[in-house]
Amino acid sequence: MSNAEVLPLLETAGQGVVPCCPPLTERAMTAEEAETAARMFKALGDPVRLRLFSAVASHEGGEACVCDISDVGVSQPTVSHHLKKLKEAGLLTSERRGTWVYYRVEPSVLAAMGRLLVAPAAV
């Protein structure tokens, strides 16, 4: 049983997706916001997970079959473990089609990550 939590991404009327946390340059994070962001970065803190996340995000059509992204230098059960951790962190979604599982990075996740790390506008 997992105690992982999916990252909350908020939908706001007319504004699209708002990240779980404000941009780092806007204000200091609250303890809750920092915990939420840390879960996301912890999931991406492993080189294999980062490679898998990148492989899915950059794959043609925005989704990838596990059969297309499993060549990251570790065994297939280890790939499955890392993909599970990325899903638990709310970074990937998956869909089973026959015997294969297809993964995708939701555009809202990339938007949220980008907004968190955005640089302040030049004055």
Side-chain angles (χ1 to χ4, degrees):
M1 181 164 200
S2 172
N3 62 358
E5 222 177 283
V6 174
L7 286 173
L9 299 175
L10 307 173
E11 296 282 344
T12 57
Q15 293 181 0
V17 175
V18 177
C20 63
C21 313
L24 294 175
T25 56
E26 184 178 297
R27 64 172 170 78
M29 287 183 172
T30 65
E32 184 179 318
E33 291 168 339
E35 291 224 9
T36 300
R39 280 193 299 274
M40 175 181 66
F41 288 116
K42 182 178 180 182
L44 292 174
D46 181 281
V48 172
R49 287 186 201 147
L50 189 54
R51 287 184 65 201
L52 288 168
F53 185 76
S54 173
V56 172
S58 64
H59 202 271
E60 185 178 329
E63 69 177 8
C65 174
V66 70
C67 61
D68 294 329
I69 59 171
S70 59
D71 186 21
V72 290
V74 296
S75 67
Q76 195 286 321
T78 303
V79 167
S80 294
H81 165 77
H82 287 301
L83 289 169
K84 177 182 173 188
K85 293 295 183 181
L86 290 168
K87 280 183 60 176
E88 288 173 345
L91 298 172
L92 293 180
T93 60
S94 66
E95 177 184 353
R96 179 172 292 280
R97 297 182 197 154
T99 58
W100 296 110
V101 178
Y102 288 78
Y103 291 88
R104 84 180 60 63
V105 176
E106 292 297 326
S108 60
V109 170
L110 292 177
M113 290 172 62
R115 284 195 44 143
L116 178 63
L117 299 173
V118 71
V123 225

